[in-house]
């Protein structure tokens, strides 16, 4: 993967930029709906209970084709499949990404190197929840011994969002600041 050209240097990326600058230059959703009466039905994806309506986004059939071409050129589908298999696709840290394990229910099985990592992931999530509960209740205090009133969350990716979600569960009047 590291020998692949930078994403923004790929011809598929350039085609998307050209498309945005040309066909989608200051489009109006009203115009897109007027030009395509079936847009509200065609730009919807349903998988089980999941309903995604992207008809109200500034995309056209050409946009979707160009995005598909970029995804194919950058091997997104192969990487997705490798992620679900628990393969090492995080080239920076030379490890599996564990996105699926982080979101898996407690009883699920996500194997990495032949080991189910879900119990270990949930152990960390439980520790995060316990810590958040202690801060909320006032049991855990700051260095002055007073209750913590402000929480600043600095994180990268989904871990930061999950952390913020843990705090958001029961706010109790404290401020949260997340990146």
């Amino acid at each position: 993967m590291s020998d692949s050209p930078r994403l923004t240097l790929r011809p598929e990326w350039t085609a998307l930029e050209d498309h945005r600058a040309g066909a989608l230059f200051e489009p109006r959703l009203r115009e897109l709906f007027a030009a395509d009466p079936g847009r509200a039905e065609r730009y919807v994806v349903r998988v089980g209970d999941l309903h995604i309506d992207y008809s109200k986004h500034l995309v056209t059939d050409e946009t979707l084709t160009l995005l598909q071409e970029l995804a194919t050129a950058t091997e997104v589908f192969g990487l997705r499949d490798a992620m679900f298999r628990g393969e090492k696709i995080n080239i920076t840290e030379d490890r599996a990404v564990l996105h699926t394990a982080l979101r898996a229910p407690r009883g699920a099985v996500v194997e990495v190197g032949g080991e189910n990592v879900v119990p270990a992931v949930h152990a960390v999530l439980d520790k995060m929840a316990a810590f958040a509960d202690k801060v909320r209740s006032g049991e855990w205090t700051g260095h002055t011994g007073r209750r913590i009133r402000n929480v600043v969350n600095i994180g990268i990716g989904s871990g930061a969002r999950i952390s913020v979600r843990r705090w958001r569960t029961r706010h109790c009047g404290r401020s949260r600041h997340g990146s």
Side-chain angles (χ1 to χ4, degrees):
M1 241 351 240
S2 59
D3 58 342
S4 299
R6 270 186 57 200
L7 180 67
T8 56
L9 298 179
R10 291 179 170 273
E12 296 84 4
W13 182 270
T14 304
L16 267 169
E17 285 184 324
D18 292 347
H19 171 63
R20 184 186 74 188
L24 287 181
F25 181 71
E26 294 195 32
R28 307 249 186 307
L29 278 176
R30 195 170 292 158
E31 293 167 8
L32 293 173
F33 276 96
D36 182 359
R39 181 180 179 84
E41 292 79 36
R42 286 188 327 100
Y43 284 65
V44 170
V45 176
R46 289 181 183 87
V47 179
D49 291 339
L50 180 64
H51 175 95
I52 302 171
D53 177 0
Y54 54 99
S55 67
K56 295 169 188 77
H57 291 268
L58 298 175
V59 297
T60 63
D61 290 345
E62 183 181 357
T63 311
L64 296 176
T65 298
L66 292 169
L67 286 168
Q68 179 81 26
E69 289 171 2
L70 179 62
T72 299
T74 55
E75 302 174 12
V76 167
F77 308 108
L79 289 168
R80 175 207 55 207
D81 295 343
M83 176 187 69
F84 280 107
R85 288 190 302 269
E87 294 178 17
K88 293 181 179 182
I89 62 170
N90 178 336
I91 58 172
T92 305
E93 299 174 17
D94 190 33
R95 65 177 184 86
V97 292
L98 303 179
H99 290 60
T100 53
L102 192 57
R103 291 158 180 81
R106 207 171 278 283
V109 175
V110 176
E111 290 190 359
V112 175
E115 178 186 341
N116 181 12
V117 296
V118 172
V121 167
H122 275 275
V124 172
L125 293 174
D126 291 343
K127 283 182 181 180
M128 290 171 61
F131 174 71
D133 287 341
K134 286 179 182 179
V135 170
R136 281 189 211 99
S137 72
E139 180 184 343
W140 186 283
T141 60
H143 76 280
T144 63
R146 295 187 308 212
R147 288 180 74 140
I148 295 173
R149 293 181 45 226
N150 295 290
V151 175
V152 177
N153 177 55
I154 301 172
I156 298 172
S158 61
R161 285 189 293 280
I162 287 171
S163 176
V164 168
R165 232 180 290 137
R166 292 272 186 213
W167 287 104
R168 191 176 294 144
T169 306
R170 292 181 301 269
H171 180 255
C172 304
R174 277 175 277 305
S175 300
R176 296 173 314 277
H177 311 283
S179 64

